[in-house]
Coordinates of all heavy atoms in Angstrom, one line a residue:
M1 N -0.4 -15.3 -1.8 CA 1.0 -14.7 -2.0 C 0.8 -13.4 -2.8 O 0.0 -13.4 -3.8 CB 1.8 -15.7 -2.9 CG 3.1 -15.1 -3.4 SD 3.9 -16.3 -4.4 CE 5.1 -16.9 -3.4
L2 N 1.5 -12.4 -2.3 CA 1.4 -11.0 -2.9 C 2.4 -11.0 -4.0 O 3.5 -11.4 -3.8 CB 1.6 -10.1 -1.9 CG 1.7 -8.5 -2.3 CD1 0.2 -8.2 -2.8 CD2 1.9 -7.7 -1.1
S3 N 1.9 -10.6 -5.1 CA 2.8 -10.4 -6.2 C 2.7 -9.1 -6.8 O 1.6 -8.7 -7.3 CB 2.5 -11.6 -7.3 OG 3.3 -11.3 -8.5
L4 N 3.7 -8.3 -6.8 CA 3.7 -7.0 -7.5 C 4.8 -6.9 -8.5 O 5.9 -7.5 -8.3 CB 3.9 -5.9 -6.3 CG 2.9 -5.7 -5.3 CD1 3.4 -4.7 -4.3 CD2 1.6 -5.2 -5.9
K5 N 4.6 -6.3 -9.6 CA 5.6 -6.1 -10.6 C 6.5 -5.1 -10.1 O 6.2 -4.2 -9.5 CB 4.9 -5.7 -12.0 CG 4.0 -6.7 -12.6 CD 3.5 -6.2 -13.9 CE 2.7 -7.2 -14.6 NZ 2.2 -6.7 -15.9
K6 N 7.8 -5.4 -10.5 CA 8.9 -4.5 -10.1 C 8.6 -3.1 -10.5 O 8.8 -2.1 -9.8 CB 10.2 -5.0 -10.6 CG 11.4 -4.1 -10.2 CD 12.5 -4.6 -10.9 CE 13.8 -3.7 -10.5 NZ 15.0 -3.9 -11.3
N7 N 8.0 -2.9 -11.7 CA 7.9 -1.5 -12.2 C 6.8 -0.8 -11.3 O 6.9 0.4 -11.1 CB 7.3 -1.7 -13.6 CG 8.5 -2.0 -14.6 OD1 9.7 -1.9 -14.2 ND2 8.2 -2.4 -15.8
T8 N 5.8 -1.5 -10.9 CA 4.8 -0.8 -10.0 C 5.4 -0.4 -8.7 O 5.2 0.7 -8.3 CB 3.6 -1.9 -9.8 OG1 3.1 -2.2 -11.1 CG2 2.6 -1.2 -8.9
V9 N 6.3 -1.2 -8.0 CA 6.8 -0.8 -6.9 C 7.9 0.3 -7.0 O 7.9 1.2 -6.3 CB 7.6 -2.1 -6.2 CG1 8.4 -1.8 -5.0 CG2 6.6 -3.1 -5.7
E10 N 8.6 0.1 -8.1 CA 9.5 1.3 -8.4 C 8.9 2.5 -8.7 O 9.3 3.6 -8.1 CB 10.4 0.9 -9.6 CG 11.5 1.7 -9.8 CD 12.4 1.2 -11.1 OE1 12.8 0.0 -11.0 OE2 12.8 2.0 -11.9
K11 N 7.7 2.6 -9.4 CA 7.1 3.8 -9.6 C 6.4 4.5 -8.3 O 6.6 5.6 -8.2 CB 5.9 3.5 -10.7 CG 6.4 3.4 -12.1 CD 5.1 3.1 -13.0 CE 5.6 2.6 -14.4 NZ 4.5 2.3 -15.3
L12 N 5.9 3.5 -7.5 CA 5.3 4.0 -6.2 C 6.4 4.6 -5.3 O 6.3 5.7 -4.8 CB 4.8 2.9 -5.5 CG 3.4 2.4 -6.0 CD1 2.9 1.1 -5.3 CD2 2.3 3.5 -5.9
Y13 N 7.6 4.0 -5.3 CA 8.8 4.4 -4.6 C 9.2 5.8 -5.1 O 9.4 6.8 -4.3 CB 9.9 3.5 -4.7 CG 11.2 4.0 -3.9 CD1 11.3 4.0 -2.5 CD2 12.2 4.5 -4.8 CE1 12.4 4.4 -2.0 CE2 13.3 5.0 -4.1 CZ 13.5 5.0 -2.8 OH 14.6 5.4 -2.1
R14 N 9.3 6.0 -6.3 CA 9.8 7.2 -7.0 C 8.9 8.4 -6.6 O 9.1 9.5 -6.4 CB 10.0 7.1 -8.5 CG 11.3 6.3 -8.8 CD 11.4 6.1 -10.4 NE 12.4 5.2 -10.6 CZ 13.4 5.5 -11.5 NH1 13.5 6.7 -12.2 NH2 14.4 4.7 -11.7
R15 N 7.5 8.0 -6.8 CA 6.5 9.0 -6.6 C 6.5 9.5 -5.0 O 6.4 10.7 -4.8 CB 5.2 8.4 -6.9 CG 4.0 9.5 -6.9 CD 2.6 8.9 -7.2 NE 2.8 8.2 -8.5 CZ 2.0 7.0 -8.7 NH1 1.1 6.6 -7.8 NH2 2.2 6.4 -9.9
T16 N 6.7 8.5 -4.1 CA 6.7 8.9 -2.8 C 7.9 9.7 -2.4 O 7.9 10.6 -1.7 CB 6.7 7.5 -1.9 OG1 5.5 6.8 -2.2 CG2 6.8 7.9 -0.4
L17 N 9.1 9.3 -3.0 CA 10.3 10.0 -2.7 C 10.2 11.3 -3.3 O 10.6 12.4 -2.6 CB 11.5 9.3 -3.4 CG 12.9 9.9 -3.2 CD1 13.3 10.0 -1.8 CD2 13.9 9.2 -4.0
A18 N 9.6 11.5 -4.5 CA 9.5 12.8 -5.2 C 8.6 13.9 -4.2 O 9.0 15.0 -4.0 CB 8.9 12.7 -6.5
R19 N 7.6 13.2 -3.7 CA 6.6 14.1 -2.8 C 7.4 14.5 -1.6 O 7.2 15.7 -1.1 CB 5.4 13.3 -2.5 CG 4.4 13.2 -3.7 CD 3.2 12.4 -3.4 NE 2.4 12.2 -4.5 CZ 1.4 11.3 -4.6 NH1 1.2 10.5 -3.5 NH2 0.7 11.3 -5.7
A20 N 8.1 13.6 -1.0 CA 8.8 13.9 0.2 C 9.9 15.0 0.0 O 10.0 15.9 0.9 CB 9.4 12.7 0.8
L21 N 10.6 14.9 -1.0 CA 11.7 15.8 -1.4 C 11.1 17.1 -1.7 O 11.6 18.2 -1.3 CB 12.6 15.2 -2.5 CG 13.6 14.2 -2.1 CD1 14.3 13.7 -3.4 CD2 14.5 14.5 -1.0
N22 N 10.1 17.2 -2.4 CA 9.4 18.4 -2.9 C 8.9 19.2 -1.5 O 8.9 20.4 -1.7 CB 8.2 18.2 -3.8 CG 7.7 19.5 -4.4 OD1 8.5 20.4 -4.8 ND2 6.4 19.7 -4.5
G23 N 8.5 18.5 -0.5 CA 8.0 19.2 0.6 C 9.1 19.5 1.7 O 8.8 20.3 2.6
A24 N 10.3 19.1 1.4 CA 11.4 19.4 2.4 C 11.8 20.8 2.3 O 12.0 21.3 1.2 CB 12.5 18.4 2.0
T25 N 12.0 21.4 3.4 CA 12.6 22.8 3.4 C 14.0 22.7 3.9 O 14.7 23.7 3.8 CB 11.7 23.7 4.2 OG1 11.6 23.3 5.6 CG2 10.3 23.9 3.7
R26 N 14.4 21.7 4.7 CA 15.8 21.6 5.2 C 16.3 20.2 5.0 O 15.5 19.3 5.3 CB 15.7 21.9 6.7 CG 15.3 23.3 7.0 CD 15.3 23.6 8.5 NE 16.6 23.0 9.1 CZ 17.0 23.3 10.3 NH1 16.2 24.1 11.1 NH2 18.1 22.8 10.7
L27 N 17.4 20.1 4.5 CA 18.1 18.8 4.5 C 19.4 18.9 5.1 O 20.2 19.8 4.8 CB 18.3 18.2 3.0 CG 17.0 17.9 2.2 CD1 17.3 17.5 0.8 CD2 16.2 16.8 2.9
M28 N 19.8 18.0 6.2 CA 20.9 18.2 6.8 C 21.7 16.8 6.8 O 21.2 15.8 7.3 CB 20.6 18.4 8.4 CG 19.8 19.6 8.6 SD 20.8 21.1 7.9 CE 19.4 22.3 7.9
Y29 N 22.8 16.8 6.0 CA 23.7 15.6 5.9 C 25.1 15.9 6.5 O 26.0 16.0 5.8 CB 23.8 15.3 4.5 CG 22.4 14.8 3.9 CD1 21.9 15.8 3.0 CD2 21.8 13.7 4.1 CE1 20.5 15.3 2.5 CE2 20.6 13.3 3.7 CZ 19.9 14.1 2.7 OH 18.7 13.8 2.3
V30 N 25.0 16.2 7.8 CA 26.2 16.5 8.5 C 27.0 15.4 9.1 O 26.4 14.3 9.5 CB 25.9 17.4 9.8 CG1 27.1 17.7 10.6 CG2 25.1 18.6 9.4
D31 N 28.3 15.3 8.7 CA 29.2 14.2 9.1 C 28.7 12.8 8.6 O 28.8 11.8 9.3 CB 29.4 14.1 10.6 CG 30.1 15.4 11.2 OD1 31.0 15.9 10.5 OD2 29.7 15.9 12.3
A32 N 28.2 12.8 7.4 CA 27.6 11.6 6.8 C 28.7 10.8 6.0 O 28.4 9.8 5.5 CB 26.4 12.0 5.8
K33 N 29.9 11.3 6.0 CA 31.0 10.7 5.4 C 30.7 10.6 3.8 O 31.2 9.5 3.2 CB 31.4 9.3 6.0 CG 31.6 9.4 7.4 CD 31.9 8.1 8.0 CE 32.3 8.3 9.5 NZ 32.3 7.1 10.3
W34 N 30.2 11.5 3.3 CA 29.9 11.5 1.8 C 31.1 11.9 1.1 O 31.8 12.7 1.5 CB 28.7 12.5 1.4 CG 27.4 12.0 1.8 CD1 27.1 10.8 2.4 CD2 26.2 12.6 1.4 NE1 25.7 10.7 2.4 CE2 25.1 11.7 1.8 CE3 25.9 13.8 0.7 CZ2 23.7 12.0 1.6 CZ3 24.5 14.0 0.4 CH2 23.5 13.2 0.9
D35 N 31.3 11.4 -0.1 CA 32.4 11.8 -1.0 C 31.8 12.3 -2.2 O 30.6 12.6 -2.3 CB 33.3 10.5 -1.2 CG 32.7 9.4 -2.0 OD1 31.5 9.5 -2.4 OD2 33.3 8.3 -2.0
D36 N 32.7 12.6 -3.2 CA 32.1 13.1 -4.5 C 31.1 12.3 -5.2 O 30.1 12.9 -5.7 CB 33.4 13.3 -5.4 CG 34.3 14.4 -5.1 OD1 33.8 15.4 -4.3 OD2 35.4 14.4 -5.4
D37 N 31.3 11.0 -5.2 CA 30.3 10.1 -5.8 C 28.9 10.2 -5.1 O 27.9 10.3 -5.8 CB 30.8 8.7 -5.9 CG 32.0 8.5 -6.7 OD1 32.1 9.2 -7.7 OD2 32.7 7.6 -6.5
D38 N 28.9 10.3 -3.8 CA 27.7 10.4 -3.1 C 27.0 11.8 -3.4 O 25.8 11.9 -3.6 CB 28.0 10.3 -1.6 CG 28.5 8.9 -1.1 OD1 28.0 7.9 -1.6 OD2 29.5 9.0 -0.3
M39 N 27.8 12.8 -3.5 CA 27.3 14.1 -3.7 C 26.7 14.2 -5.2 O 25.7 14.8 -5.4 CB 28.4 15.2 -3.6 CG 27.9 16.6 -3.8 SD 26.7 17.0 -2.6 CE 25.3 17.7 -3.6
R40 N 27.3 13.5 -6.1 CA 26.9 13.5 -7.5 C 25.5 12.7 -7.5 O 24.6 13.1 -8.2 CB 27.9 12.8 -8.4 CG 29.1 13.7 -8.6 CD 30.3 13.0 -9.3 NE 29.8 12.7 -10.7 CZ 30.5 11.8 -11.4 NH1 31.6 11.2 -11.0 NH2 30.2 11.5 -12.7
S41 N 25.3 11.7 -6.8 CA 24.1 10.9 -6.7 C 23.1 11.8 -6.1 O 21.9 11.8 -6.6 CB 24.2 9.6 -5.9 OG 25.1 8.8 -6.6
M42 N 23.4 12.4 -5.0 CA 22.4 13.3 -4.4 C 22.0 14.5 -5.2 O 20.7 14.8 -5.2 CB 23.1 13.7 -3.0 CG 22.0 14.3 -2.0 SD 21.6 16.1 -2.3 CE 20.7 16.3 -0.8
A43 N 22.9 15.0 -6.0 CA 22.7 16.2 -6.8 C 21.6 15.8 -7.8 O 20.8 16.7 -8.2 CB 24.0 16.6 -7.5
R44 N 21.5 14.6 -8.3 CA 20.5 14.3 -9.3 C 19.1 14.3 -8.6 O 18.1 14.4 -9.4 CB 20.7 12.9 -9.9 CG 22.0 12.8 -10.7 CD 22.0 11.5 -11.5 NE 22.3 10.3 -10.6 CZ 23.5 9.9 -10.3 NH1 24.6 10.5 -10.8 NH2 23.7 8.8 -9.6
S45 N 19.0 14.3 -7.4 CA 17.6 14.3 -6.7 C 17.2 15.7 -6.4 O 16.1 16.0 -6.1 CB 17.6 13.5 -5.5 OG 18.5 13.9 -4.5
L46 N 18.1 16.7 -6.4 CA 17.9 18.1 -6.0 C 16.9 18.8 -6.8 O 16.2 19.6 -6.3 CB 19.2 18.9 -5.9 CG 20.1 18.4 -4.8 CD1 21.5 19.1 -4.9 CD2 19.4 18.6 -3.4
P47 N 16.6 18.4 -8.2 CA 15.6 19.2 -8.8 C 14.2 18.9 -8.3 O 13.3 19.7 -8.5 CB 15.7 18.6 -10.4 CG 17.2 18.3 -10.4 CD 17.5 17.8 -9.0
W48 N 14.0 17.8 -7.6 CA 12.7 17.5 -7.0 C 12.5 18.4 -5.7 O 11.4 18.4 -5.1 CB 12.7 16.0 -6.5 CG 12.6 15.1 -7.7 CD1 12.1 15.4 -9.0 CD2 13.0 13.8 -7.8 NE1 12.2 14.3 -9.8 CE2 12.7 13.3 -9.0 CE3 13.5 12.9 -6.8 CZ2 13.0 11.9 -9.4 CZ3 13.7 11.6 -7.3 CH2 13.5 11.1 -8.5
C49 N 13.6 19.1 -5.1 CA 13.5 19.7 -3.8 C 13.0 21.2 -4.1 O 13.8 22.1 -3.9 CB 14.9 19.7 -3.2 SG 15.4 18.0 -2.7
G50 N 11.8 21.4 -4.6 CA 11.3 22.6 -5.0 C 11.1 23.6 -3.9 O 11.1 24.8 -4.2
H51 N 11.1 23.2 -2.6 CA 10.9 24.2 -1.4 C 12.1 24.2 -0.6 O 12.0 24.8 0.5 CB 9.6 23.8 -0.8 CG 8.5 23.9 -1.5 ND1 7.9 22.9 -2.3 CD2 7.6 25.0 -1.9 CE1 6.7 23.3 -2.9 NE2 6.6 24.5 -2.7
L52 N 13.3 23.6 -1.0 CA 14.4 23.6 -0.1 C 15.0 24.9 0.2 O 15.3 25.6 -0.7 CB 15.5 22.7 -0.7 CG 16.6 22.3 0.2 CD1 16.1 21.4 1.3 CD2 17.6 21.5 -0.6
E53 N 15.0 25.2 1.5 CA 15.6 26.6 1.8 C 17.0 26.5 2.5 O 17.8 27.4 2.5 CB 14.6 27.2 2.9 CG 13.3 27.6 2.3 CD 12.4 28.1 3.3 OE1 12.8 28.3 4.4 OE2 11.2 28.3 3.0
A54 N 17.3 25.2 3.1 CA 18.6 25.1 3.9 C 19.2 23.7 3.4 O 18.5 22.7 3.6 CB 18.5 25.2 5.2
L55 N 20.4 23.7 3.0 CA 21.0 22.4 2.8 C 22.4 22.4 3.5 O 23.3 23.2 3.3 CB 21.3 22.2 1.2 CG 22.1 21.0 0.9 CD1 21.5 19.6 1.3 CD2 22.3 21.0 -0.7
S56 N 22.7 21.5 4.5 CA 23.9 21.4 5.2 C 24.6 20.1 4.8 O 24.1 19.0 4.9 CB 23.7 21.4 6.7 OG 25.0 21.3 7.4
L57 N 25.8 20.2 4.3 CA 26.7 19.2 3.9 C 28.0 19.1 4.7 O 29.0 18.7 4.3 CB 27.1 19.2 2.4 CG 25.8 19.1 1.5 CD1 26.1 19.6 0.1 CD2 25.2 17.8 1.5
K58 N 28.0 19.9 5.9 CA 29.0 20.0 6.8 C 29.7 18.7 7.2 O 29.0 17.7 7.5 CB 28.6 20.9 7.9 CG 29.7 21.1 8.9 CD 29.2 21.9 10.1 CE 30.2 22.0 11.2 NZ 29.7 22.7 12.4
G59 N 31.1 18.7 7.1 CA 31.8 17.7 7.7 C 31.9 16.4 6.9 O 32.0 15.2 7.5
N60 N 31.9 16.4 5.6 CA 31.9 15.4 4.8 C 33.2 15.4 4.0 O 34.2 16.0 4.4 CB 30.7 15.4 3.7 CG 29.4 15.0 4.4 OD1 29.2 13.8 4.7 ND2 28.6 16.1 4.7
N61 N 33.3 14.6 2.9 CA 34.6 14.5 2.2 C 34.3 14.9 0.7 O 34.7 14.2 -0.3 CB 35.2 13.1 2.3 CG 36.6 13.1 1.8 OD1 37.3 14.0 1.8 ND2 37.1 11.9 1.3
I62 N 33.5 16.0 0.5 CA 33.1 16.4 -0.8 C 34.1 17.3 -1.4 O 34.3 18.4 -0.7 CB 31.7 17.0 -0.8 CG1 30.7 16.1 -0.1 CG2 31.2 17.6 -2.2 CD1 29.3 16.6 0.3
G63 N 34.6 17.0 -2.4 CA 35.6 17.8 -3.2 C 35.1 18.5 -4.4 O 34.0 18.6 -4.6
A64 N 36.0 18.8 -5.3 CA 35.7 19.5 -6.5 C 34.7 18.8 -7.4 O 33.7 19.5 -8.0 CB 37.0 19.8 -7.2
R65 N 34.8 17.6 -7.5 CA 33.9 16.8 -8.5 C 32.4 16.9 -7.9 O 31.5 17.1 -8.7 CB 34.3 15.4 -8.7 CG 35.4 15.2 -9.6 CD 35.8 13.7 -10.0 NE 35.6 12.9 -8.8 CZ 34.9 11.8 -8.9 NH1 34.3 11.4 -9.9 NH2 34.8 11.0 -7.8
G66 N 32.3 16.6 -6.6 CA 30.9 16.8 -6.0 C 30.4 18.2 -6.1 O 29.2 18.4 -6.4
L67 N 31.3 19.2 -5.8 CA 30.6 20.5 -5.9 C 30.3 20.9 -7.3 O 29.3 21.7 -7.5 CB 31.7 21.5 -5.2 CG 32.0 21.3 -3.8 CD1 33.0 22.3 -3.3 CD2 30.7 21.6 -2.9
R68 N 31.2 20.4 -8.3 CA 30.8 20.7 -9.7 C 29.4 20.1 -10.0 O 28.6 20.8 -10.7 CB 31.8 20.1 -10.5 CG 32.0 20.8 -11.8 CD 33.3 20.4 -12.6 NE 34.1 19.3 -12.2 CZ 35.2 19.4 -11.5 NH1 35.7 20.7 -11.2 NH2 35.9 18.3 -11.2
A69 N 29.1 18.9 -9.5 CA 27.8 18.3 -9.7 C 26.6 19.1 -9.2 O 25.6 19.4 -9.7 CB 27.8 17.0 -9.1
L70 N 26.9 19.7 -8.0 CA 26.0 20.6 -7.3 C 25.7 21.9 -8.1 O 24.6 22.3 -8.3 CB 26.4 20.9 -5.8 CG 25.6 21.9 -5.0 CD1 24.2 21.3 -4.8 CD2 26.2 22.1 -3.6
A71 N 26.9 22.4 -8.5 CA 26.8 23.7 -9.3 C 26.0 23.5 -10.6 O 25.2 24.3 -11.0 CB 28.2 24.2 -9.5
Q72 N 26.3 22.3 -11.2 CA 25.6 22.1 -12.6 C 24.0 22.1 -12.4 O 23.3 22.6 -13.2 CB 26.2 20.8 -13.2 CG 27.5 21.0 -13.7 CD 28.1 19.7 -14.1 OE1 27.6 18.6 -13.8 NE2 29.2 19.7 -14.8
I73 N 23.7 21.5 -11.3 CA 22.2 21.3 -11.1 C 21.6 22.7 -10.8 O 20.6 23.1 -11.2 CB 22.0 20.4 -9.9 CG1 22.4 18.9 -10.2 CG2 20.5 20.5 -9.4 CD1 21.5 18.3 -11.3
V74 N 22.3 23.5 -10.0 CA 21.9 24.9 -9.7 C 21.8 25.7 -11.1 O 20.9 26.4 -11.2 CB 22.7 25.5 -8.6 CG1 22.4 27.0 -8.6 CG2 22.7 24.8 -7.3
Q75 N 22.8 25.6 -12.0 CA 22.7 26.3 -13.2 C 21.6 25.9 -13.9 O 21.2 26.7 -14.9 CB 24.2 26.0 -13.9 CG 25.3 26.8 -13.2 CD 26.6 26.3 -14.1 OE1 26.7 25.4 -14.6 NE2 27.6 27.3 -13.9
K76 N 21.2 24.7 -13.9 CA 19.9 24.2 -14.7 C 18.7 24.7 -14.0 O 17.7 24.4 -14.6 CB 20.0 22.7 -14.7 CG 21.1 22.2 -15.6 CD 21.1 20.7 -15.7 CE 22.3 20.2 -16.4 NZ 22.3 18.7 -16.5
G77 N 18.7 25.4 -12.9 CA 17.5 26.0 -12.3 C 17.0 25.4 -11.1 O 15.9 25.8 -10.6
A78 N 17.7 24.4 -10.6 CA 17.1 23.8 -9.3 C 17.5 24.6 -8.1 O 18.3 25.6 -8.2 CB 17.8 22.4 -9.1
L79 N 16.9 24.5 -7.1 CA 17.2 25.1 -5.8 C 16.9 26.6 -5.7 O 17.7 27.3 -5.1 CB 18.6 24.7 -5.3 CG 19.0 23.3 -5.1 CD1 20.4 23.1 -4.6 CD2 18.0 22.5 -4.2
R80 N 15.9 27.0 -6.4 CA 15.6 28.4 -6.4 C 15.3 28.9 -5.1 O 15.4 30.2 -4.8 CB 14.5 28.7 -7.4 CG 15.0 28.4 -8.9 CD 13.9 28.6 -9.9 NE 14.3 28.1 -11.2 CZ 14.2 28.8 -12.3 NH1 13.6 30.0 -12.3 NH2 14.6 28.3 -13.4
S81 N 14.7 28.2 -4.2 CA 14.4 28.6 -2.8 C 15.5 28.5 -1.8 O 15.4 29.0 -0.7 CB 13.2 27.7 -2.3 OG 12.1 27.8 -3.2
L82 N 16.7 28.0 -2.2 CA 17.7 27.8 -1.3 C 18.3 29.1 -0.8 O 18.6 30.0 -1.6 CB 18.8 27.0 -2.0 CG 20.0 26.5 -1.1 CD1 19.4 25.4 -0.1 CD2 21.2 26.0 -1.7
R83 N 18.4 29.2 0.5 CA 18.9 30.5 1.1 C 20.2 30.2 1.9 O 21.0 31.1 2.1 CB 17.8 31.1 2.1 CG 16.5 31.5 1.4 CD 16.7 32.7 0.5 NE 15.5 32.9 -0.3 CZ 15.4 32.6 -1.6 NH1 16.4 32.0 -2.2 NH2 14.3 32.9 -2.2
T84 N 20.3 28.9 2.4 CA 21.5 28.6 3.2 C 22.1 27.3 2.7 O 21.4 26.3 2.5 CB 21.1 28.4 4.7 OG1 20.4 29.6 5.1 CG2 22.3 28.1 5.6
L85 N 23.4 27.4 2.4 CA 24.1 26.2 2.0 C 25.4 26.1 2.8 O 26.2 27.0 2.8 CB 24.7 26.3 0.5 CG 25.5 25.2 0.0 CD1 24.9 23.8 0.1 CD2 25.8 25.6 -1.5
V86 N 25.6 25.1 3.7 CA 26.7 24.9 4.6 C 27.6 23.9 4.0 O 27.3 22.7 3.9 CB 26.3 24.5 6.0 CG1 27.4 24.4 6.9 CG2 25.3 25.5 6.5
L87 N 28.9 24.2 3.6 CA 29.9 23.3 3.1 C 31.1 23.2 4.0 O 32.1 22.6 3.6 CB 30.2 23.7 1.7 CG 29.2 23.7 0.6 CD1 29.5 24.4 -0.6 CD2 28.7 22.3 0.3
A88 N 31.1 23.7 5.2 CA 32.3 23.8 6.1 C 32.7 22.4 6.3 O 32.1 21.4 6.3 CB 31.9 24.5 7.4
K89 N 34.0 22.2 6.6 CA 34.7 21.0 7.0 C 34.6 20.0 5.8 O 34.5 18.8 6.2 CB 34.2 20.5 8.3 CG 34.5 21.4 9.4 CD 34.1 20.7 10.7 CE 34.4 21.8 11.9 NZ 34.0 21.2 13.2
N90 N 34.7 20.4 4.6 CA 35.0 19.5 3.4 C 36.3 19.9 3.0 O 36.8 21.0 3.2 CB 33.8 19.8 2.3 CG 32.5 19.0 2.8 OD1 32.4 17.8 2.7 ND2 31.6 19.7 3.3
P91 N 36.9 19.0 2.1 CA 38.3 19.4 1.6 C 38.2 20.6 0.7 O 37.2 21.0 0.2 CB 38.6 18.1 0.7 CG 37.7 17.0 1.0 CD 36.5 17.7 1.7

């Protein structure tokens, strides 16, 4: 029987996710039916996206609260490589 401590699995997952996000140059979440809460959750991962050049959030339901979360992350210095941000077809 394989037994792994939760903390070990969680650490490995976080490390793997951080590496994947750091290597991403484009993230496309088009028509994902995201709302403000989803955007706020996603915004917390954006500081790991050190090479992100394009982010598309087209066709979601992201409003002022979600955009505020995105703006706050950018103000803190995240997404310095971002060149294209698509927010069309959101409220």
Side-chain angles (χ1 to χ4, degrees):
M1 172 184 263
L2 179 62
S3 175
L4 295 174
K5 290 184 179 178
K6 180 183 176 188
N7 289 343
T8 301
V9 173
E10 189 174 313
K11 285 178 187 177
L12 289 172
Y13 174 78
R14 286 178 189 231
R15 188 179 311 147
T16 301
L17 179 62
R19 286 180 184 160
L21 287 175
N22 189 45
T25 58
R26 296 175 50 160
L27 294 176
M28 305 296 163
Y29 297 104
V30 176
D31 297 321
K33 299 181 181 165
W34 281 10
D35 60 16
D36 288 337
D37 291 333
D38 297 315
M39 185 64 235
R40 290 171 65 196
S41 294
M42 198 276 191
R44 288 192 295 269
S45 68
L46 291 175
W48 292 335
C49 299
H51 297 95
L52 192 65
E53 296 174 2
L55 175 61
S56 180
L57 301 165
K58 179 182 174 182
N60 286 285
N61 194 29
I62 301 168
R65 284 186 323 128
L67 293 178
R68 208 170 5 261
L70 177 61
Q72 288 171 346
I73 293 298
V74 171
Q75 286 176 339
K76 291 179 181 177
L79 302 180
R80 292 177 189 227
S81 299
L82 192 69
R83 300 291 173 256
T84 303
L85 175 62
V86 180
L87 296 169
K89 297 186 179 178
N90 280 281

